[in-house]
Structure formats: structure tokens, C-alpha cells
Amino acid sequence: MTHFDLIVIGSGSGNTIVDERFADWSVALVEKGVGSTGAFGGTCLNVGCIPSKMFVHTADTASAPPHGERLGVDLRLEGVDWPAIRDRIFGRIDPIAVSGERYRAGADNVTLYRGTARFTGVKRLEVRTADGTEEISADRVVVAAGSRPSAPPIPGLAEVRYLTSDSVMRLPDLPRRMIIMGTGFVSAELAHVFSALGTDVTVVGRSGLMLRHEDEDVATRFTDLAARRWDLRMNRTAKGVERDGRSVRLHLDGPEGVESVEAEEILVATGRVPNSDLIGAKEGGLDLTGDGRISVDATQATSVDGVWALGDVSSPYQLKHVANREAQTVQHNLLHPEAPVRTDHRFVPHAVFSGPMVASVGLTEEEARHGTREYVSARQDYAGVAYGWAMEDTTGFAKLLADPATGQLIGAHVIGPEAPTLIQPLIQAMQFGLDARSMAEDQYWIHPAMPELIENALLSLELR
């Protein structure tokens, strides 16, 4: 058995931990690969944030003609070259994965294992690679094994060839029709991508809203706008799926009874599950949460001394910026065990890069209403500020929630163009305790720039 100072499982955010300060440590990095190519570098780089947003930007460009028409500009979409789009995107991403793997493999103090790791005991692992199986152990272990797409137990689904976010972006051809199961952010983003590029999209959901975990006003507005672009089948229960030649047929039970939808491809975007089971977390003595995540404290420490976990395998947020922050915490605590730091999860923002974009941080109004804390809310439409008026945007808005006594922001929600950018100063205000009135009145806001949307929303809060 080979013994190391440190074992890191996963080459996503876990790969960022080992830098020059670990030069005198013996390190093992284990990576099984993600997606259809089994690439190095984790979900975000290969099958998640990076390629999907490159597709989203392309879709935004393809969506320009209808907006141009409202402005009196005659634009036409002449066509879409899917292979060229796909190959341009992965032609940039794949070399990054290759070079990242080459860099780690070339480090004098790092042993790179290309295979699967599974705990066989406390800080002991079995690693299976193409060359065989090896037993390794370490004084310290970091688990950054991520998560994977899950699929609901629908009769026939396992027998048909279905897509997930891991595989859909590398399709050989653009399908004429696509069924997307799920109403969360993956569904919303990929529905935007494929519909903008010319695919007829049907979105199937169990609830009555897209993005139902967002603030209700935001989810309702997004659902109304989505219904103009996609065939929404809400409040449906999937009863079975079958393939008929080149088509997939999904049988549904809905408000008006039994119905079926057909398409060339079916994309399952109903959620993700942590990879704790694949690495044998229980065999490693690690406590798990009720939904299968590795249980960690604020320092990212697990129930086993000397073992830390970060990212999707332990975090409820499943966000790359959270995994990166947690990796920084783990890195510090590995290097400075005498002075551990804690990850601050108080104000974790998220965004949905669809059409329109959505961004959120803090409490929704529904959560605030059911809590014990007094709050006030205010809403500002894009159309009510100069640049939004110039854009002819009639659907976007910002919604803020604050403590009326202190003016401290407790929630912020934006739907509309560049929502993830517009919300950033609100995240900063919440993180550093800047009250709404000071934020609005004690600085200049460029006129007529879009951030006036935030300024006016802040000024509309009825604070004492």
C-alpha cells in the first residue's frame, strides 16, 4: 500500500487546492473523468458552467431578430451550424482539460491516478485504473467527488437512449424536436439554447411553475414568458416512455387526462445526486446527510479527523462559486490546522442564464413571510428606468426585501437582461452590512446606466 501526505478525490475545485505551498507534500490526485469524454477538470469545465454559458451566449445572439424588430431594426436568422457551434466551444474547452491533466501528471510531488477511488476504511482507498487496482492511504484526505445527473424511475426510461446535461451539448446533430423533463435551472438554460437554435422544445414538469424555487413573482413571470417560447406541459406526471424508430414518445397524465408527446431526443434535467455512494463514503467512516451528502462542519471537516469534503458531494448549493470558496477553506485548513477558518454561507447567490436571465440572493418573499422577521419589499421594473425604457424591456424587474428598522437587505431577486451582473452590488451590501438607504443615497449611480434599476428599487423600500 502506498501512503501519501494527502489524497484529493476529484479534479474540479479539488484540483485548485494543491499549489506551490504543497511542494514538500506527497500528494495523490484521483480523477475518474466526467461526461461523455471522461475529461479532466470537473463538471464545470467539461459539462457544466463553462460550455453551457458558451452555448447560452450563442443562443442569445440567435435570439436577436425578434428584439431588433421591436426597435425597428430588420434582422434575420439565416441559419444555424450546430457542428460549427459545438466544435468551436469544445475546441476551446477540451485543450484546457488536456493541459490541466498534463500539468498535474508532470508535477514531481503529485501522483495522478486516472480511475475510480473507493474507501475501504478510514483514510484508506482502493483505486481502479486501466492498469489495475492499487491500495493507497494518507494522513489527510479531501473528497471533492462532485455529483451526477439523476433520472426519475419512469417505466421504460432506462431502455431508451436519453440525454443528460453530461451528453446533450455534444450531440452530433441539432434535433428537430426535444422533450426536456424538469423545470429547474438546467432545463431553463438548455431549453433556451435549443429553442433559440431552432429546435421545437417541450418542457415537462410536475409543478405548475418553471424555476419554482425562485421568488414566486420571479417564477411566475419566467413561466409566463417561457410559455410564449416553449410548449410547457406543467402539472404532469410521467407514466412511461418508449422509443418508436427515431422518435421517443413520453406518456403523461395531466389536468386534462392522458396525453403523449414525441420528439427525436429526450433530455432528463430533473436534478443531481452526490457521488458519495460511488466513493464508498460510509466505508470510509463518513457521516452522511439525509439526502446522501457527506456531512461537514463550517470548516469543511467531516466526521473523520483528517478528512474534508467540499463541493457537490457535501454542499446543498451545487454551485461552482461555492465549491471554489469551500476549496479555499480546505486549502487554508490543511496548511494551518492550528488556526482553521470557516466557510461563510450566509449570502450565497445563484443565477439562471436563460431567456430572460434570473439572479437571486437571500430570502424569497415566501420564506420571509413564513418567518418571524419583519420585512418590507419593493419592486422596480426595467421599463421604469431610462436604459430599460430604451431597451423596450417590459417584463424585467428587480425585487428587494429588507428589515424596515435597520435597512439591512435580506433578499434580492432580478429577472431580465444581465440580472447576474446587476445583483452583484446587492450581494456585496449584504455581505458587508451596508444598509439600503446608505447604499442608495451615499454614492453616485451612473445615469442612464442599467444599475439605476437597483438604485430605484432601494429607494422604494419603505424603511423607518
Side-chain angles (χ1 to χ4, degrees), residues 117-120 275-286:
R118 189 174 184 88
F119 281 99
T120 58
N275 286 330
S276 53
D277 57 329
L278 301 183
I279 62 166
K282 288 185 177 180
E283 287 82 350
L286 304 177

Side-chain angles (χ1 to χ4, degrees), residues 170-225:
R170 292 187 186 259
L171 278 172
D173 301 296
L174 188 68
R176 185 171 65 88
R177 300 171 298 174
M178 177 181 287
I179 300 167
I180 302 180
M181 299 187 64
T183 56
F185 77 92
V186 174
S187 170
E189 291 183 355
L190 292 175
H192 170 55
V193 167
F194 283 96
S195 64
L197 299 181
T199 298
D200 292 331
V201 171
T202 299
V203 177
V204 178
R206 293 181 298 174
S207 71
L209 289 174
M210 295 285 295
L211 304 179
R212 61 187 176 88
H213 295 298
E214 300 292 337
D215 183 270
E216 187 175 355
D217 286 345
V218 171
T220 299
R221 176 60 54 84
F222 187 91
T223 302
D224 290 343
L225 296 173

Side-chain angles (χ1 to χ4, degrees), residues 61-396:
T61 303
S63 300
H67 181 62
E69 184 179 356
R70 292 198 301 273
L71 303 178
V73 180
D74 184 12
L75 300 174
R76 286 184 299 274
L77 179 63
E78 296 288 345
V80 167
D81 187 342
W82 170 262
I85 293 169
R86 179 201 61 214
D87 294 347
R88 174 185 63 83
I89 291 171
F90 288 107
R92 296 186 66 187
I93 288 173
D94 290 347
I96 297 173
V98 171
S99 64
E101 181 173 358
R102 185 181 300 120
Y103 170 78
R104 279 302 181 205
D108 292 336
N109 66 317
V110 176
T111 301
L112 176 61
Y113 291 94
R114 251 341 206 115
T116 59
R118 189 174 184 88
F119 281 99
T120 58
V122 174
K123 292 186 276 192
R124 297 163 61 98
L125 295 117
E126 177 185 82
V127 181
R128 295 184 179 181
T129 70
D131 298 324
T133 300
E134 184 173 342
E135 298 282 341
I136 62 175
S137 61
D139 298 323
R140 311 160 193 86
V141 178
V142 175
V143 183
S147 62
R148 64 189 185 275
S150 61
I154 300 171
L157 183 62
E159 286 70 51
V160 304
R161 180 183 57 82
Y162 66 88
L163 301 167
T164 70
S165 55
D166 280 1
S167 57
V168 68
M169 289 179 278
R170 292 187 186 259
L171 278 172
D173 301 296
L174 188 68
R176 185 171 65 88
R177 300 171 298 174
M178 177 181 287
I179 300 167
I180 302 180
M181 299 187 64
T183 56
F185 77 92
V186 174
S187 170
E189 291 183 355
L190 292 175
H192 170 55
V193 167
F194 283 96
S195 64
L197 299 181
T199 298
D200 292 331
V201 171
T202 299
V203 177
V204 178
R206 293 181 298 174
S207 71
L209 289 174
M210 295 285 295
L211 304 179
R212 61 187 176 88
H213 295 298
E214 300 292 337
D215 183 270
E216 187 175 355
D217 286 345
V218 171
T220 299
R221 176 60 54 84
F222 187 91
T223 302
D224 290 343
L225 296 173
R228 304 178 193 179
R229 302 181 61 196
W230 315 319
D231 177 10
L232 295 190
R233 305 292 181 103
M234 301 288 99
N235 298 304
R236 292 335 195 251
T237 301
K239 307 301 290 186
V241 60
E242 60 190 1
R243 183 168 288 280
D244 183 5
R246 298 182 64 182
S247 297
V248 172
R249 185 179 298 115
L250 177 64
H251 301 288
L252 303 169
D253 190 3
E256 298 181 4
V258 177
E259 61 192 23
S260 297
V261 290
E262 289 190 12
E264 284 69 48
E265 301 288 354
I266 182 168
L267 168 64
V268 177
T270 53
R272 298 179 68 86
V273 294
N275 286 330
S276 53
D277 57 329
L278 301 183
I279 62 166
K282 288 185 177 180
E283 287 82 350
L286 304 177
D287 290 345
L288 302 179
T289 64
D291 57 357
R293 291 177 289 111
I294 295 175
S295 181
V296 296
D297 64 16
T299 69
Q300 304 302 134
T302 71
S303 56
V304 174
D305 184 49
V307 180
W308 293 263
L310 62 95
D312 287 5
V313 78
S314 59
S315 174
Y317 296 103
Q318 295 189 347
L319 296 165
K320 177 62 172 175
H321 46 275
V322 173
N324 284 346
R325 176 60 59 84
E326 292 174 349
Q328 293 170 2
T329 298
V330 171
Q331 182 187 64
H332 174 93
N333 293 341
L334 284 167
L335 294 168
H336 306 284
E338 76 289 350
V341 296
R342 301 159 66 90
T343 307
D344 185 355
H345 289 124
R346 289 177 301 158
F347 307 113
V348 175
H350 66 268
V352 183
F353 294 81
S354 183
M357 294 184 177
V358 171
S360 176
V361 62
L363 299 180
T364 66
E365 185 157 14
E366 294 68 49
E367 291 168 335
R369 187 182 302 128
H370 290 102
T372 59
R373 187 173 186 176
E374 187 181 6
Y375 77 95
V376 292
S377 65
R379 180 165 151 171
Q380 174 65 53
D381 291 337
Y382 274 63
V385 299
Y387 205 87
W389 185 73
M391 293 169 62
E392 297 282 347
D393 189 293
T394 60
T395 60

Side-chain angles (χ1 to χ4, degrees), residues 430-453:
M430 293 171 71
Q431 181 71 38
F432 298 108
L434 181 63
D435 68 277
R437 189 66 67 205
S438 298
M439 183 183 183
E441 297 180 349
D442 293 354
Q443 63 176 318
Y444 284 105
W445 296 81
I446 295 174
H447 177 77
M450 186 57 76
E452 285 186 318
L453 177 79

